[in-house]
Amino acid sequence: MLRRREDVELYEYDIDNKPEDLDSALREVDCIIHLAGVNRPEDLGEFETGNTGSIDEICVKLKAIGRSPKIVLSSSIQAELDNPYGTSKRRAEEALQRFAEDVGAECVVYRFKNLFGKWCRPDYNSVTATFCYNIANGLPIQISDPAHEIDLTHIDAVVKAFVDEMEPGAPGFRFTEPLTATRITLGELAAKIRSFRDMRTSLVLPDFSNDFERSLYGTYLTYLNEKEFEYGLDIKADQRGSLAEFLKSSSMGQIFVSRTKPGITRGDHYHHTKTEKFLVLEGEAVIRFRSIQSGVGSRESESWRVGESGVEGVIEYRVTGKDFKVVDIPPGYTHSIENVGEGELVTLFWASEMFDLDRPDTYYEKVEL
């Protein structure tokens, strides 16, 4: 995020850098965002050197050269716990607090809960990354307690908070308010990620009205094998052409696409409740409607017209793939779409509800009697 900003000169320091790189950076920077840390060392002593020592070293060097830039420290809620990792994080916070008090610098601590998002390593310190990687790649996962609850914060919220912290504030030491988090059990988390994997066959979208679920789905996709980004749809083919369902949603209905051969008519049915939209993508078609009340009500009604076919009560729309025109299909109108072009007709369909075999709401009736 910072590399994309033209108003920021960025100094990066990681384990592959030389100590003198840190010295030169500390002489220049106005804000330090400290992300370094040790989570799973082979020697417990590395907690102290990696977590406490790294921030303490910065504070000592800054004092020596008489500088007091703003420092933002990435810490953990485990700093409240009495374990080697938590203790090292708490001592890092205390080192930063002493620096703020000694030199009057602005020093900020973020105590993170469980983070998730793209680029996080599996089998390290993020259960979400491990679940996503294993499920995406057909590997088993281990859950000791499915009812155990965790709080998850998306990495984008962290990045935004850090970028906002680049603006100077009041001198002194402070803890930030916790970032927005979603509480979920390990069992629920695994079930959601499995549903993302199964979506390729069920076609059912996650609940994208929920920010957490949308971010979790995006995270899951980043753990797919790069050779497995694509997948096929179940194609139904007959003498008329072919059809495949694409996406389904309990709140948004479903989308499917068809190829229709020249001279073929699809449809000749109506719905009582379900609505649809037709969008011709390639070819030329005539979409016809007739109210199922035609001949029952008055011939003066709006639905009683004469189409190009000369059949009373039939409404016609001629559409082509060049126009990108959407045709709405209201309930109570029997409708059809005929390929009147010379090549295949490709049409995108949307229905307001997922197809239910037990309640299809689809009734055969020819448009042209």
Side-chain angles (χ1 to χ4, degrees):
M1 214 42 150
L2 295 179
R3 290 191 194 107
R4 295 181 61 88
R5 290 183 52 159
E6 295 182 356
D7 61 334
V8 171
E9 186 175 357
L10 188 61
Y11 295 80
E12 299 180 67
Y13 183 75
D14 209 332
I15 57 174
D16 295 327
N17 286 91
K18 299 176 182 178
E20 51 265 33
D21 295 335
L22 178 61
D23 294 338
S24 60
L26 292 180
R27 294 182 180 278
E28 303 293 335
V29 297
D30 301 304
C31 179
I32 297 171
I33 298 176
H34 188 283
L35 304 172
V38 174
N39 293 285
R40 294 190 177 185
E42 295 182 3
D43 178 359
L44 292 181
E46 293 180 45
F47 277 133
E48 196 68 22
T49 56
N51 293 332
T52 306
S54 60
I55 189 66
D56 195 44
E57 178 187 12
I58 288 174
C59 293
V60 169
K61 287 178 178 290
L62 286 172
K63 281 184 181 180
I65 60 177
R67 298 202 72 236
S68 55
K70 179 176 181 176
I71 302 178
V72 182
L73 174 65
S74 170
S75 187
S76 166
I77 55 171
Q78 291 201 43
E80 301 173 355
L81 304 180
D82 189 19
N83 59 46
Y85 175 73
T87 299
S88 67
K89 283 294 189 181
R90 185 168 62 252
R91 288 178 178 169
E93 296 172 355
E94 292 168 351
L96 188 62
Q97 184 173 9
R98 288 193 299 270
F99 176 74
E101 293 170 350
D102 290 346
V103 305
E106 181 185 3
C107 295
V108 184
V109 172
Y110 280 79
R111 280 186 173 178
F112 293 122
K113 298 180 180 180
N114 295 277
L115 306 183
F116 74 100
K118 60 183 180 298
W119 305 330
C120 188
R121 286 192 315 214
D123 298 317
Y124 186 54
N125 68 335
S126 168
V127 65
T128 307
T130 302
F131 281 7
C132 284
Y133 178 83
N134 285 23
I135 291 173
N137 292 279
L139 302 174
I141 61 172
Q142 301 295 325
I143 305 178
S144 57
D145 180 7
H148 178 70
E149 293 184 326
I150 57 174
D151 294 295
L152 291 174
T153 297
H154 190 235
I155 191 63
D156 284 8
V158 177
V159 172
K160 182 181 184 306
F162 281 165
V163 171
D164 291 344
E165 285 289 355
M166 289 172 58
E167 296 298 324
F173 177 84
R174 63 181 169 88
F175 288 96
T176 64
E177 291 295 321
L179 297 180
T180 300
T182 297
R183 177 158 291 187
I184 189 171
T185 68
L186 292 177
E188 291 170 338
L189 178 63
K192 284 185 183 296
I193 296 172
R194 287 193 181 102
S195 75
F196 300 156
R197 176 199 61 194
D198 297 342
M199 181 193 147
R200 288 188 166 189
T201 51
S202 73
L203 306 180
V204 178
L205 289 170
D207 180 10
F208 285 152
S209 66
N210 180 299
D211 289 343
F212 168 72
E213 198 146 339
R214 186 169 56 248
S215 298
L216 184 63
Y217 176 67
T219 299
Y220 164 77
L221 289 183
T222 66
Y223 291 91
L224 291 174
N225 185 302
E226 292 181 353
K227 296 181 180 179
E228 297 179 1
F229 284 174
E230 72 169 5
Y231 60 100
L233 298 175
D234 183 19
I235 300 174
K236 310 293 186 184
D238 56 24
Q239 71 279 6
R240 299 172 299 172
S242 58
L243 183 146
E245 295 179 321
F246 175 35
L247 294 173
K248 299 180 181 181
S249 166
S250 58
S251 61
M252 296 295 292
Q254 72 178 80
I255 297 173
F256 51 101
V257 64
S258 76
R259 289 182 175 274
T260 304
K261 296 177 181 178
I264 296 296
T265 298
R266 290 185 182 273
D268 279 327
H269 60 239
Y270 66 91
H271 316 289
H272 277 307
T273 304
K274 184 190 304 183
T275 62
E276 295 176 308
K277 292 179 184 289
F278 290 3
L279 173 60
V280 170
L281 301 179
E282 183 178 329
E284 186 174 359
V286 171
I287 301 172
R288 296 185 175 93
F289 299 85
R290 179 178 55 81
S291 169
I292 62 173
Q293 290 189 311
S294 297
V296 178
S298 168
R299 291 191 177 214
E300 303 302 319
S301 69
E302 184 65 21
S303 65
W304 197 270
R305 300 174 182 165
V306 178
E308 291 179 11
S309 62
V311 179
E312 289 188 304
V314 174
I315 305 167
E316 296 184 355
Y317 290 87
R318 185 173 289 268
V319 290
T320 74
K322 298 178 181 179
D323 298 333
F324 287 153
K325 286 187 177 179
V326 179
V327 179
D328 275 318
I329 313 297
Y333 280 83
T334 185
H335 51 276
S336 66
I337 178 168
E338 179 186 2
N339 182 354
V340 296
E342 296 181 357
E344 273 195 325
L345 174 69
V346 181
T347 311
L348 188 70
F349 300 91
W350 169 83
S352 59
E353 58 188 58
M354 292 192 293
F355 180 75
D356 183 349
L357 189 61
D358 296 326
R359 191 181 60 84
D361 188 20
T362 301
Y363 306 91
Y364 175 76
E365 183 170 324
K366 289 190 68 66
V367 175
E368 297 184 295
L369 298 175

